[in-house]
Amino acid sequence: MKFTEELELKEFFSGVDKVAFYGVGGMGKNLYIYLKNHGWEKKLAFFIVTKKNVDEFWGAPVKEAGELDEEERSLPVVIATRKNFHDSIYSSLAAIGATDIHTLSESLLNHVEYLANQSGQYDLGPGKKRHAAWLMRKKRIHTIWKLSRMGCRAEGAI
């Protein structure tokens, strides 16, 4: 099933006991934050990945798709990646016997990402924090340069 509206997503998460997310990247984080903001973080049983390089992500276990047992394959799975990966992930999940597979439309993925960023719980990580700080300095310096070109003084602005 493809979710296109947030209401569908809320109804789905409120109606399941446990769910698995396929993907531990940015969208996996965003969906986890979405669950957490609604008090549903205990519903996340585990994350599924193609190749495991961590044992845990945001407190939930990480499992390779091939190592899932029958009970784990029967859980609903939400593909937590961008749209261009959905078809191949869907095929690989179906190949191992998963049947309850869900995706999000691109607009809903963007909305969930926006909500996660607005929540203040999204850790950018040191590289992105440095980049964001650099952009802010660059913008401030450019603004001061423009003001000086117009004859304005911007003392103490930096």
Side-chain angles (χ1 to χ4, degrees), residues 21-129:
F21 289 165
Y22 192 107
V24 294
M27 288 314 305
K29 278 185 186 179
N30 293 340
L31 276 171
Y32 177 79
I33 291 170
Y34 184 85
L35 286 182
K36 190 173 180 181
N37 287 341
H38 288 84
W40 297 327
E41 66 269 18
K42 299 285 186 207
K43 292 184 179 222
L44 179 62
F46 51 86
F47 288 94
I48 304 169
V49 294
T50 305
K51 210 169 204 177
K52 186 165 95 169
N53 57 7
V54 294
D55 292 327
E56 186 178 284
F57 187 71
W58 283 57
V62 175
K63 300 181 178 214
E64 283 191 20
E67 69 183 32
L68 301 178
D69 62 32
E70 189 174 334
E71 183 181 333
E72 292 168 333
R73 287 191 305 266
S74 69
L75 286 177
V77 177
V78 177
I79 299 176
T81 66
R82 287 288 175 196
K83 183 181 173 184
N84 50 329
F85 301 110
H86 286 182
D87 291 340
S88 63
I89 293 170
Y90 193 95
S91 297
S92 67
L93 287 170
I96 63 165
T99 56
D100 196 0
I101 306 167
H102 305 273
T103 60
L104 279 68
S105 68
E106 195 68 25
S107 62
L108 188 55
L109 286 170
N110 291 335
H111 180 67
V112 168
E113 182 176 28
Y114 171 79
L115 293 174
N117 288 329
Q118 293 301 309
S119 72
Q121 298 179 46
Y122 201 91
D123 181 22
L124 291 174
K128 289 186 179 177
K129 284 180 183 173

